[in-house]
Amino acid sequence: MNKLPFTLFAPLLGSAAVWAAEPALEETLVEGQTNKHEIVISERSDFAPDSAQLLSKAPGATANGNGPLTGIPQVRGMYGARVGVTVNGQSISAGGPNWMDPPLSYAPAAQLETLTVYRGIAPVSVGQETIGGAIDAETWQGQFASTDTLDINGNINLGAQSGNNATLASANLALASRTQKLKLQLLSESADDAPFPDGDLHPTEYQRDRADLGYSLKHGKHQWSLDLARSNTGTTGTPALPMDIGYIDSGLFNLSYRYQGDWQIEAQAYGSNIDHGMTNYASRQPPMMPTMYRRNTATGENRGFKLQAQQGKWTLGADYHDELHNSDIDNPNAPAFFVINFNDASRTVSGVFAEYSAPLGALSSEVGVRVNRVAMDAADVGGTPAMMMPAAATLRDNFNNAERSQSDTNLDAVIRLHHSNGWYGAIGQKTRSPSYQERYLWLPMESTAGLADGRVYIGNTELKPEKSHELELGYDWQSGSFSASPRVYYRKVSDYIQGTESTSMAAVMVVEMMGMNPYKPLQFNNVDAEFYGFDMDARYTINAHWEVQTLLNSVRGKRTDIDDNLYRIAPDNATLALNFATSGWGASAETRLFAGQREVSASQGEKPTAGYAIANISAYWQPVDTLKLTLGVNNLFDKSYQDHLAGYNRVSGADIATGERLYGYARHAYLRLSYQL
């Protein structure tokens, strides 16, 4: 494993010494947690519009960044669809084939109440497919009144950021009695292109508006809620992908019921309709040849329900999630050109689960079992290339003649044990069936759920489900003012889905004839892989005002069928923060350090990155309980660096060469005003 060299810690120690001598700043790591297995992030003092950027505050978690609103969660080396994400208990499958709207993007940071990262092996009850972990985002819901009179509660947030001229305005308001609650949420945020120390990151502009309306009713032990949301993302850059967002128009609904009695029962029905348009010419320098203009119009539909009942030591449940996707590609300069990329690609997961939790002497134990039935299908495809190129016609015919209706029955099982003296252990089997992109991508393209490796892929209708066996050990140490929770883990994955060099001569010929990529196409295939690593969060309370927090993360991902590494694995990293708080104000300084990542995937042509360190500072003033003003500066010393998870530049004529890894943002300051009603 790449180790953080000692020299990287010099800026960190220097930063800590400066801020110990001159008080400044606010909390920067985990602001709250229910226990050491569920890390809850509940305070957002910075200006990040994308909730995925907050994941770096939890041990083992981070995000792959393809654009300012397009962060894809990564937990202990696994990312994308392998990490189960829910928003207010609702599963949302991205509307676009390249995950420009990953599930977590439907919980904007300005509306976020809590972001829970299930550390390590997740319980079977928290999600259907959690082979790589689980994350639950809860947005602001408002509160019922505590008296018989009507009450207005909520918050208003205003903010601005230098560099990209970002602005934020949000209002979360609730009119409530003891038994009824009417909720209204409004959000508008936008920004221009962000700078890096040697130029501008083009395009990284963004525009998002959202409105939510909800109603809740309580009667005795019963509570019903209906929530409706309309989210509109406008022109937004994704420089690590071959296209940018033109629009994402989404409508969401969530109907829920809760009963609190001898049994605790929760039921939920939800859905979403997503319309998504993207181009390779509107936000970036267009192709030199008019024949290479591309426009992709995609739709995604989600429907699902959950039912869970808990009494005493038992939790029983059933859940269902159905997604349907269409994606068509055309050229505005050539009306006759078209590609049916995905046609009624469907994926349905039906699950049942049971969990049993009970003390065993000094041990607290949890045993869970889940069975998922995954059914997938897709309709016929076609397009102009198939009519003009025999090789493309071969791929079309092979796909249309293949057995596209596929189903899997998958078993998950988890055992978690925690001793009263602090020792923790868990073992589990987790599974995941292929995504619709991995199974039904018929023509060599980059519709790969945000892999952003610059390679073109074809799918494989005969893929097997991934199966992971994982072991985790840890210790929760509490001694006076010091606490630490280290974890070590090992995960062996059979039938891991990875792009390998395609043996299809037709796919190779299509790529060569269209000049799509200098590399041969890859095909999604089953391989064998392993992950292992270490993460730890720790804190030391110096006195009533001063506290030190730290995070350490190290993960390695390897293929075991050949001598190669897995793609886009986070490098070793550490964060050290010094926090100060007193009545009415507080401050924080943090240093984030990243080792160089040289354990890269040769199969996907991944490039190594160098190590770096950046410093961030922030301070807040709270003259009254209801008003808070936060000021901060990120990348304080204007460090030029390349985040290994940021992807490669795909934009011609930009300040970064095409194919070079994207740089991190230059020094920027932000100001945020929060008012609590």
Side-chain angles (χ1 to χ4, degrees), residues 222 330 391 455 461 593:
H222 308 271
D330 64 9
R455 305 294 292 269
T461 59
L593 302 104

Side-chain angles (χ1 to χ4, degrees), residues 144-155:
F144 287 97
S146 58
T147 65
D148 293 328
T149 59
L150 286 176
D151 171 70
I152 296 178
N153 61 83
N155 57 75

Side-chain angles (χ1 to χ4, degrees), residues 25 33 41 116 121 131 152 171 257 280 308 339-340 350 411 460 587 656:
L25 306 177
Q33 56 189 55
I41 302 166
T116 301
I121 306 174
I131 189 171
I152 296 178
Y257 167 77
N280 71 345
Q308 180 173 302
V339 175
I340 302 175
S350 305
L411 174 67
N460 183 347
I656 301 175

Side-chain angles (χ1 to χ4, degrees), residues 75 141 202 285 362 405 429 444 482 523 608 633:
V75 179
Q141 299 298 314
H202 178 74
Q285 179 175 299
S405 178
Q429 172 180 294
F482 178 77
Q523 182 176 30
V633 180

Side-chain angles (χ1 to χ4, degrees), residues 500 527-528 558-565 603:
T500 64
V527 301
D528 293 321
K558 298 180 62 177
R559 284 181 61 177
T560 56
D561 56 322
I562 64 171
D563 184 15
D564 197 10
N565 302 294
S603 300

Side-chain angles (χ1 to χ4, degrees), residues 473-488:
L473 297 172
Y475 183 72
D476 298 327
W477 183 15
Q478 180 73 53
S479 177
S481 299
F482 178 77
S483 65
S485 296
R487 297 285 189 272
V488 294

Side-chain angles (χ1 to χ4, degrees), residues 167-191:
T167 59
L168 162 70
S170 73
N172 303 306
L173 307 171
L175 177 65
S177 68
R178 284 182 183 269
T179 59
Q180 298 185 74
K181 178 180 63 178
L182 183 64
K183 178 189 70 172
L184 174 66
Q185 296 174 270
L186 299 172
L187 167 70
S188 181
E189 52 189 352
S190 63

Side-chain angles (χ1 to χ4, degrees), residues 237-238 330 616 629:
T238 51
D330 64 9
N616 306 316
L629 183 66

